[in-house]
């Protein structure tokens, strides 16, 4: 469903670019352009329409940073941003959002298996976040394939369903991956809401088939920006929601020991950013990385691969 919605959204954006280009050609006809040929004029106006559309997307991203800053938590010492660092943060997050929505999500990951005699480590189940599909995991999937790790991306449907409904779908995906690989245990990797889906799965079905849960930018205690999102899952992810409180009360400390929570103190969707700190888990903190960019930033991907490789080993101290 999300893939179809992305295709429709891209088609709508292409139409808007054409309409803006046509409107600009009717309203603005500079003398220096009149001497150019028709193809050059058409390319110029289409370029202007594309620039306007990109500007709108940039404004949306900038507004997310504004909202997250208003509800944000103080950045720890050592993570202060310089103006140049802030510019790099914004640009990388904007490009990550464009790539994810315009390319990655058009190519869902699906099941990618290694031959059993060549398979390395435990299989990995990738769980996307709010408003995404398994295509979000394209960068990590490439690294997992290179490491000969069997993995599968789950597509949670419908997009606005409750998180407990997604937990049921996750159970089906876990069992399917176990059968396909012959492994009794899997590793769960969830981005944003995907981490909460993993927690809901453990609450309902237990942890006997799970060796490690790795979350990226998950609002374990909710996010202020969830109030702007549609769907039952967005309501559940609001700050101090009843669903989050009940989830926390149901968890045993032994389950929390399975978790590694990777997050950024400059997350532009999870606010306050320390909402990603999960007591009892291994909390791994980064700076100068946005929410969507967590799924493709080289340092975060290296960290996730280390956590995957260390599944089944005892936790060490948190990294700050």
């Amino acid at each position: 469903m999300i893939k179809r919605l992305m295709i429709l959204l891209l088609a709508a954006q292409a139409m808007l670019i054409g309409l803006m280009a046509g409107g600009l050609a009717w309203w603005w006809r500079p003398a220096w352009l009149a001497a150019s040929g028709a193809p050059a004029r058409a390319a110029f106006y289409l370029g202007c329409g594309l620039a306007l559309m990109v500007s709108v997307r940039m404004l949306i991203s900038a507004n997310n940073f504004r909202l997250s800053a208003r509800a944000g938590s103080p950045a720890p010492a050592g993570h202060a941003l310089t103006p140049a660092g802030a510019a790099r943060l914004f640009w990388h997050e904007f490009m990550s959002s464009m790539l994810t929505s315009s390319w990655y999500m058009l190519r869902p990951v699906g099941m990618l298996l290694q031959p059993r005699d060549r398979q390395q480590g435990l299989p990995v189940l990738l769980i996307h976040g709010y408003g995404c599909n398994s295509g979000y995991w394209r960068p990590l999937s490439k690294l997992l394939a290179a490491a000969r790790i069997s993995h599968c991306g789950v597509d949670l449907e419908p997009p606005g369903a409750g998180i407990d409904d997604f937990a049921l779908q996750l159970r089906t995906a876990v069992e399917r991956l176990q059968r396909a690989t012959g492994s009794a245990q899997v590793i769960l990797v969830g981005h944003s809401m995907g981490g909460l889906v993993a927690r809901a799965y453990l609450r309902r079905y237990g942890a006997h088939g799970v060796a490690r849960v790795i979350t990226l930018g998950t609002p374990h205690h909710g996010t202020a920006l969830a109030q702007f999102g549609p769907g039952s899952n967005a309501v559940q992810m609001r700050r101090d929601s009843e669903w989050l409180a009940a989830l926390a009360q149901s968890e045993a400390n032994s389950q929390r020991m399975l978790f590694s929570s990777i997050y950024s103190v400059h997350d532009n969707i999870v606010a306050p950013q320390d909402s990603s700190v999960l007591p009892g888990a291994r909390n791994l903190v980064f700076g100068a990385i946005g929410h969507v960019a967590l799924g493709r930033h080289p340092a975060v991907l290296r960290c996730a691969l280390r956590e995957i490789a260390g599944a089944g080993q005892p936790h060490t101290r948190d990294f700050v």
Side-chain angles (χ1 to χ4, degrees), residues 105-188:
M105 287 168 57
L106 301 181
R107 304 160 61 222
V109 169
M111 180 85 75
L112 295 171
L113 300 176
Q114 299 289 328
R116 292 195 184 184
D117 59 340
R118 297 182 61 227
Q119 185 171 285
Q120 298 295 316
L122 294 172
V124 175
L125 184 59
L126 303 169
I127 315 164
H128 64 79
Y130 180 82
C132 291
N133 65 10
S134 62
Y136 174 82
W137 294 110
R138 275 286 158 189
L140 181 56
S141 174
K142 182 178 179 180
L143 296 179
L144 291 173
R148 295 189 299 187
I149 297 173
S150 294
H151 58 282
C152 177
V154 61
D155 291 310
L156 303 172
E157 301 284 357
I163 294 175
D164 292 306
D165 296 327
F166 293 149
L168 177 60
Q169 297 174 42
L170 190 59
R171 182 190 186 189
T172 302
V174 167
E175 293 174 343
R176 179 171 172 246
L177 185 57
Q178 288 172 324
R179 288 194 302 270
T181 60
S183 176
Q185 287 192 310
V186 302
I187 298 168
L188 304 180

Side-chain angles (χ1 to χ4, degrees), residues 274-290:
D274 59 11
S275 176
S276 291
V277 176
L278 186 63
R282 174 176 163 88
N283 294 288
L284 303 157
V285 59
F286 289 83
I289 304 174

Side-chain angles (χ1 to χ4, degrees), residues 292-310:
V292 178
L294 286 166
R296 62 183 291 266
H297 194 282
V300 172
L301 294 181
R302 287 194 298 269
C303 180
L305 286 174
R306 287 195 298 269
E307 296 302 300
I308 289 169

Side-chain angles (χ1 to χ4, degrees), residues 249-271:
Q249 290 174 2
S250 69
E251 291 175 320
N253 290 333
S254 58
Q255 283 189 352
R256 292 283 182 90
M257 290 294 292
L258 292 174
F259 280 77
S260 297
S261 178
I262 302 171
Y263 71 100
S264 171
V265 297
H266 299 116
D267 195 302
N268 58 310
I269 297 296
V270 176

